[in-house]
Every structure is written in structure tokens, then in C-alpha cells.
Amino acid sequence: MTAPRIESLPDGIVNLADFERAAEARVDPASWAYLNGGAADELTRDANRAAWDALRLHPRVLRELGHGHTRVRLLGRELRHPVLLAPIAYQRLFHDDGELATAHAAAAQEAGLILSAQSSVDLREVAAPMLADPAAGPLWFQLYWRDDRDFMQDLLQRVQAAGYQALVLTVDAPVHGARDRERRAGFQLPPHIRAVNLGGRKQPLDLQPGQSALFDGLMPRAATWADVDWLRAHSPLPLLLKGVTHVDDARDALASGVDGLIVSNHGGRTLDTLPPTAALLPPLRAALGPDVPLLVDGGTRRGTDVLKAMALGAHAVLLGRPYVHALAASGALGVAQALRLLRDELEIAMALTGCKTLADAGPALLWPATSLHPCLEDPR
């Protein structure tokens, strides 16, 4: 198993925002625009962060908190804490070790990892450090649908053989968003970085004069509910859908037999002016009931954000851009430190709000509780 290089942390790192400042000086400006930019006016990107800040915690005091913990259960497995690393593509743009460094850090901090289908490191190499550590969190694989079922069948077999424990189908990005910042920077993948797990050539668009490349070329190849059914039939792994934001789609997903949902607006990178995920989470939890696994991403920067997400009904939280900032700043050690800081902040927030375990985090933990979605009931 290949080991990542060991680097020192930059001076003065005490929170995740410090990693962002350290990383910007180390990353090519075009790649930085790709990572940190959002769609159009970046309103949704910014709203994700602002929404967690706007929520206020309402503590209880003088509670017995001895022997508390951050453990949660997800898909039948106990996790040491509710933080997983979100799927982010082409991590070798930001550090030579890329996704390999991320996997070693996740294993060391007992965090779950969702590997992007567009990983710049082989999926088997990424899996090795996660599977070698019994204390590591879950290892999942994220898919983008490709309208080539022979290719998809082969990919599913490779993912299962490598030891991945669940599939995550991204459903909110059949096309790229209009990312102005990225286009102004002229971002292009360098020749030495590619999606190494996605071999083969995509079929060229066969368009007639006057047809739309989007609606006549790409959209007929985009995933539908029938393709969700096909995935369930062709892999024994649990299947979660990432990018569901509408309660009717959530109910359709539940009826289709998927195993969980990830509330996500793609970090504000696809459709601008979507609501922030903190606002989307309560109505989706209310629609699904208390037991369906429901995770959330978008804007998480503090342990208090994680606690607020749990209070709104999440079973776990995905960390996105901040861990890539830490990767760029100092490789595997940086990602491990970012996770450690977030876990420490979560424990502090629990202690200061009177939560012995995360089961104690319900809507009443937020002030005022009546400002939440009116259909939301405490799912615990």
C-alpha cells in the first residue's frame, strides 16, 4: 500500500478557515477558481454558509454529561462520529498525493469517505488504507450516470470487488452549471490529471441541423428513475441519491427502494438561487420520516454546524471544500488535522449545549424552535 508523504502543518492553523487561507497561496489560480467557485452569481454557494451561521443554538445546562460520545448509526453500522468526506473530483489538482492522502487521513480520523467517480487516483489504491484500518469509517463510491450500461456494469463490478460498501448516485448535475468564475480563469485539466477510473470514450453527440446539443444531445442520455431501478438491480450495494432537494422527489426515491438520500445543492456549483441545504433539510426529514438515512452537505465549517445539522434531522454530515483546502495546505496531515479540529469542535458544542449524545440534538436545541419547518417533528 502506497504511503502519502508527511508534511508539516502551516503555522497558525486553529480552524478550517485557516486552511483555506493557507491553501490559496499554494494552488494555481485557475484550479482555485474551479474548487471555490459556484454557479452564476454564487448566491447558493454563499447562502449555504450563511444559513448555518443564522441558526442559533439554545443550550440546556446542569445535565449529566459524563461518558458522552459522538457515535451514530448509519446503514446498520456504528460510526465513531457523523462526519464523512464528500466526493470531490481531481484532487491531484491540489496535491500530488490527491485522493490517496485523503483516504489515509480519513482512516486515521475514523471518518467516512465517498470517492468521486472522477477521482485522479485508482479506486483500488484509495480503498486500501480505508479497508486496512478496522476503525475507519464507511467507504462509498460516487457515480455519475453514463448512458452505456456495459461500462456501468463493469464499473459496478470493479467498485464492489475493491471493497466499497455503498453507491452514491449524483442526480442534480446532468450538465455543468454556468460557472462564471471558473470560465473567467480559463480552467482546464492539465494533461497529467484525469479521471483514471473512467476509461473508454464517451459516445459523440449525433445531432441534426437545428438541434440543441443540450436538449437533443445530452438530456436523452441523462439518468432517470428507470436507471435508478437498473442500478439497484445490478449491484447488491446500498444505493443513496445525492442532490435531492424536493420533497416529491424524496418520496419517489423512497418508493423506488433507495437506501438513503444526501441533501445537497452541489455546493452551489450547478443551479444558482437554490435554497441552502440547512433550509432544505427539515422538510425532507419531515417527508421521509425518522428512519430513512438522510445526510447533508454544503457550507459546513464548524463543529456547531454539524450539531445544527443533526438537530435538523440529519444522520451525518459531509465535509466538502474545507478538506481539500487542508489537502492543498499540507497533504494527508492537513486533512487529518481538519477532521480532528471539526470533531473537537463538535464535542465542545455538545458539552456546552447539554447533549450527552447526538440523539439529544433535536429541533428544541435551536432558537427559536418555531422558526423551523412547521411540519418538522423531532425525528428522535
Side-chain angles (χ1 to χ4, degrees), residues 300-322:
T300 302
R301 297 294 185 275
R302 289 284 189 178
T304 46
D305 301 336
V306 178
L307 185 59
K308 291 170 185 178
M310 304 300 284
L312 292 175
H315 286 106
V317 175
L318 306 188
L319 184 66
R321 290 181 179 99

Side-chain angles (χ1 to χ4, degrees), residues 146-167:
R146 184 180 289 186
D147 191 26
D148 179 343
R149 294 193 172 183
D150 289 339
F151 168 83
M152 293 298 294
Q153 179 72 72
D154 175 72
L155 180 60
L156 294 177
Q157 291 170 351
R158 285 187 282 135
V159 166
Q160 184 180 352
Y164 288 78
Q165 299 141 9
L167 302 172

